[in-house]
Each structure stands twice: as structure tokens, then as C-alpha cells.
């Protein structure tokens, strides 16, 4: 292959040669189990994990009402005094919940990276930390009588993600591939 590349360089067509090699490799990947494993791994990371991280980080940057609904979805049955009390508590807790969102989003990116590196032990640890952060968010928001629906949805998606990662880890063990 090196000789073919050198010949392509002499013909001033190394990019064409490289694109042809890449195209051939991409056509062959789905035909082998190792290729299907790699494609599945990248699809989960790029189509699920990175967008979730983007949602969490943008929610932290744009503010919590962006994630948790209008005005934090304070209960309509509350009196004005109760709303003032809860609004004050929300202002106190908001920086902590925002920090949890930022950490969770960053950890989600780390989880995607670890999964692509096939480091299943660390991926499990990071996944558990993200699950703890999301659980803490749900508890904070619930204790402030705020809508936790989207946070619960994030937690459910994370649970599915962790299940898929465990399945990929078992698939990787069955293939006897090197870590990465």
C-alpha cells in the first residue's frame, strides 16, 4: 500500500488515492462484525451522546428556565407568598444546579470519548457520576416545586445510554478486540 501511495504522489494524485482507500474501507466496514461494532460505537457517540452534552451545556449557559420551562414552571396553585419564597429558594439553588448541568454536559462528552476508546471501566464510572448529577438536579428542582419533566427525561435517556454502553462492552469482549 505504501508503494501504491508513493506512485500516487509521483502522479500528483495522493488525495484521490486516499479518498479511494477511505471509500473502499467504508464499504467493507458493515460487512464485518468488527466494522459494525465500530460504526455502532461512533453512531451512539455522535448521534446521541454529543447532542445530549450540547443540550446540557446550552441549558446551563442560557439559564435554567430554558431547560425547565417558563418561569421554572412554578405551581399555579401557590399563593403569591409561597411563590416569593420558592422564587428566593430557586435563586439560591440556581448556581448549584447550573454547575451540575455544566459538569454533567462535560462528563457526557468524556463518556463519549471513553466509549470510543473502549475504556469500559472508566466509562461506567463516568456514567454513574452523570447519573448522580442528574438525580441531584431532579431532587433540587423537585424540592423547589419546579417542573422536573425534562430532567427526568435526561435521566431516562442516560439510563438507556448506559445500558447501550454495557451492551457495547459485552459485544467488544465477545469480539476480542484490543482496547483501542
Amino acid at each position: 500500500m505504501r508503494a501504491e501511495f508513493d506512485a500516487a504522489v509521483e502522479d500528483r494524485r495522493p488525495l484521490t488515492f486516499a479518498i479511494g482507500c477511505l471509500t473502499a474501507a467504508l464499504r467493507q466496514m458493515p460487512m464485518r462484525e468488527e466494522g459494525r461494532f465500530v460504526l455502532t460505537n461512533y453512531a451512539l457517540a455522535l448521534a446521541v451522546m454529543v447532542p445530549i452534552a450540547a443540550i446540557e451545556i446550552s441549558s446551563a449557559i442560557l439559564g435554567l428556565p430554558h431547560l425547565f420551562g417558563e418561569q421554572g414552571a412554578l405551581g399555579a396553585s401557590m399563593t403569591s407568598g409561597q411563590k416569593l419564597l420558592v422564587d428566593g429558594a430557586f435563586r439560591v439553588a440556581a448556581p448549584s444546579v447550573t454547575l451540575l448541568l455544566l459538569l454533567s454536559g462535560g462528563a457526557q462528552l468524556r463518556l463519549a470519548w471513553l466509549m470510543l476508546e473502549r475504556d469500559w471501566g472508566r466509562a461506567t464510572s463516568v456514567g454513574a457520576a452523570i447519573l448522580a448529577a442528574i438525580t441531584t438536579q431532579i431532587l433540587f428542582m423537585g424540592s423547589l416545586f419546579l417542573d422536573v419533566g425534562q430532567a427526568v427525561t435526561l435521566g431516562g435517556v442516560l439510563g438507556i445510554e448506559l445500558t447501550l454502553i454495557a451492551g457495547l462492552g459485552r459485544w467488544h469482549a465477545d469480539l476480542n478486540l484490543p482496547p483501542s
Side-chain angles (χ1 to χ4, degrees):
M1 186 149 206
R2 180 73 179 153
E4 292 172 349
F5 179 73
D6 290 338
V9 169
E10 288 176 13
D11 291 343
R12 299 177 194 237
R13 300 182 63 161
L15 184 60
T16 305
F17 177 77
I19 290 172
C21 289
L22 179 63
T23 304
L26 289 175
R27 271 190 267 145
Q28 292 297 315
M29 282 184 86
M31 295 179 191
R32 300 189 63 205
E33 190 169 8
E34 293 88 358
R36 288 188 297 273
F37 170 78
V38 169
L39 290 174
T40 303
N41 214 3
Y42 275 91
L44 178 61
L46 296 175
V48 177
M49 300 171 91
V50 171
I52 289 173
I55 289 170
E56 290 176 334
I57 292 170
S58 68
S59 295
I61 292 170
L62 295 174
L64 292 177
H66 172 71
L67 179 65
F68 294 105
E70 298 296 321
Q71 300 295 322
L74 290 173
S77 63
M78 290 183 177
T79 66
S80 60
Q82 288 172 321
K83 284 185 182 181
L84 285 174
L85 180 65
V86 170
D87 188 42
F90 178 72
R91 289 182 198 280
V92 170
S96 300
V97 176
T98 301
L99 181 62
L100 283 171
L101 271 173
L102 283 173
L103 291 174
S104 178
Q108 188 74 246
L109 291 173
R110 176 73 175 145
L111 179 62
W113 186 266
L114 289 170
M115 187 188 72
L116 292 176
E117 285 185 340
R118 303 176 192 151
D119 189 349
W120 308 113
R122 285 187 183 163
T124 302
S125 299
V126 170
I130 297 170
L131 191 57
I134 290 176
T135 302
T136 304
Q137 289 172 7
I138 292 169
L139 291 174
F140 272 178
M141 301 309 289
S143 67
L144 296 174
F145 303 106
L146 300 171
D147 183 17
V148 295
Q150 290 182 346
V152 170
T153 302
L154 276 175
V157 169
L158 179 65
I160 293 168
E161 235 177 56
L162 293 177
T163 303
L164 290 172
I165 290 171
L168 283 171
R170 283 192 295 277
W171 188 8
H172 181 252
D174 291 344
L175 291 174
N176 292 323
L177 293 175
S180 183

